[in-house]
Amino acid sequence: MQKVSLVLSSGGARGYSHIAAIEELIKAGYYIESISGSSMGALIGGLYACGKMQEYKEWVETLKFIDVAKLLDFSFKGDGFIGGSKVFEVIENMIGDVKIEDLPISFTAVATDIISQKEVWFQKGRLLDALRASIAIPTVFTPKKIGKKYFVDGAVLNPLPIAPTISDDTDLTIAVNVNSKNRQNSFMIKKSKKKDKKEKALFAKFESKVNNMIEKKKDNDLENIGILSIMTRSIDAMQKILTEYKIAGYSPDLVINIPGNSFEFYEFHKAKEIIEYARNIVKQDITKLQNTQILQ
């Protein structure tokens, strides 16, 4: 059984793909010795490390758009329009007060210290604090304060944290990048036009409420694009470029690439679809890896 260092990228709702990656790697006979994750990658990795990923999966697969909207506790502090307490109450009930150093496998959650503007690796301390710090998307979620420091999303500086795994004594380093460029046509998603139209209308309604709440000022060229759409497109662009640099600097044995255009950053109500879509890609890439190893 080969030991794997697993690196899980940021990517919003597309990060549900990490669930499929972990399940298929285990099914293929690999042993996950360590996990390094950023943002949604840290969340899924942390849940797996403490044995709660299956419970989390069963919960998110039941969520509809309206359920996700109800979990968003709007904040008026000015440092983020979502507090995140409702979501993390559910997660805290799942994982309890666990410390990273007590986990059965090595785990690193990456966040960004916004005061020192440095990348921070959480490898000890409360798991819940590390996860909350790593997913704190700037302007969306309020920063996480730990001691005298304030932390935001790890993806700001490192959307695919390969470096924490460099010293691991494992056989393979496998990275899952959910912000990659498009793949071949066999992985295109067939969407119901009626369902897609309904979901876009629901998001537009939700986005309008957010825009009104934060008193969005319209620009002539952007008046038909809401602030959430601008934000998610900006985040996607940033993550793609930074991820390419990280892969170039630290080349894993395998990069499982999930197209960045497969699902929108905010489509957290599509967990089941995202997981099954990613599963097909993961299985194909694992097969290619195994065939390459046989030939070596």
Side-chain angles (χ1 to χ4, degrees):
M1 182 179 286
Q2 288 187 301
K3 295 186 293 184
V4 170
S5 293
L6 185 61
V7 183
L8 305 177
S9 78
S10 58
R14 290 189 300 274
Y16 286 143
S17 301
H18 299 316
I19 295 174
I22 291 171
E23 289 178 338
E24 292 305 317
L25 283 168
I26 294 169
K27 194 181 295 183
Y30 294 98
Y31 175 74
I32 299 172
E33 178 105 333
S34 78
I35 296 178
S36 175
S38 183
S39 197
M40 194 63 177
L43 178 60
I44 301 300
L47 286 161
Y48 172 75
C50 69
K52 298 297 181 180
M53 189 183 77
Q54 182 61 33
E55 185 178 343
Y56 176 80
K57 176 188 175 184
E58 290 172 2
W59 172 56
V60 296
E61 284 188 338
T62 67
L63 299 178
K64 298 186 179 352
F65 184 91
I66 190 66
D67 299 317
V68 174
K70 287 177 180 178
L71 285 168
L72 304 180
D73 51 331
F74 291 105
S75 170
F76 298 93
K77 293 180 180 179
D79 53 0
F81 58 81
I82 297 172
S85 61
K86 288 184 179 179
V87 173
F88 268 81
E89 278 176 15
V90 177
I91 294 173
E92 184 173 15
N93 287 334
M94 286 184 190
I95 69 176
D97 192 19
V98 179
K99 289 186 177 180
I100 296 173
E101 57 266 38
D102 294 332
L103 295 173
I105 65 174
S106 175
F107 176 72
T108 303
V110 175
T112 303
D113 182 336
I114 57 173
I115 304 300
S116 67
Q117 299 180 356
K118 292 181 179 179
E119 177 181 329
V120 177
W121 298 356
F122 285 92
Q123 296 176 319
K124 61 181 180 179
R126 292 185 77 227
L127 176 61
L128 196 72
D129 288 343
L131 300 183
R132 177 61 179 81
S134 189
I135 63 94
I137 304 168
T139 73
V140 179
F141 284 102
T142 54
K144 173 63 179 176
K145 184 181 180 183
I146 301 176
K148 294 183 179 180
K149 296 183 178 182
Y150 289 86
F151 296 95
V152 295
D153 201 311
V156 170
L157 293 178
N158 195 347
L160 189 67
I162 304 167
T165 69
I166 296 300
S167 62
D168 287 350
D169 182 21
T170 54
D171 302 304
L172 295 167
T173 298
I174 297 177
V176 184
N177 171 27
V178 303
N179 305 301
S180 76
K181 295 178 181 178
N182 302 351
R183 290 180 66 135
Q184 57 205 44
N185 291 335
S186 60
F187 292 107
M188 292 297 288
I189 305 166
K190 293 181 180 180
K191 295 183 178 180
S192 163
K193 289 184 178 180
K194 185 176 180 181
K195 186 178 179 181
D196 191 48
K197 187 176 180 181
K198 183 179 179 181
E199 287 177 348
K200 284 181 178 178
L202 282 169
F203 179 74
K205 192 173 181 181
F206 171 72
E207 186 175 33
S208 177
K209 289 183 178 180
V210 173
N211 291 339
N212 291 334
M213 186 181 70
I214 61 178
E215 299 179 349
K216 185 197 74 169
K217 294 181 180 179
K218 288 187 176 181
D219 180 275
N220 290 334
D221 295 328
L222 298 175
E223 61 181 2
N224 293 320
I225 304 177
I227 193 166
L228 286 180
S229 296
I230 295 170
M231 179 202 70
T232 55
R233 292 180 195 182
S234 300
I235 290 172
D236 281 343
M238 176 191 75
Q239 290 182 136
K240 281 185 175 68
I241 297 299
L242 286 175
T243 298
E244 288 177 8
Y245 281 118
K246 295 301 178 183
I247 293 174
Y250 303 97
S251 183
D253 297 288
L254 171 66
V255 180
I256 298 173
N257 287 309
I258 309 297
N261 69 342
S262 55
F263 289 90
E264 296 293 346
F265 188 88
Y266 54 80
E267 291 184 310
F268 288 96
H269 58 295
K270 294 186 177 181
K272 195 166 187 176
E273 294 169 68
I274 295 171
I275 292 168
E276 292 313 308
Y277 169 75
R279 191 181 305 281
N280 293 325
I281 295 175
V282 172
K283 287 168 74 172
Q284 185 186 81
D285 285 359
I286 290 175
T287 299
K288 286 181 181 177
L289 173 64
Q290 292 175 326
N291 290 339
T292 300
Q293 290 177 320
I294 291 171
L295 294 173
Q296 289 178 342

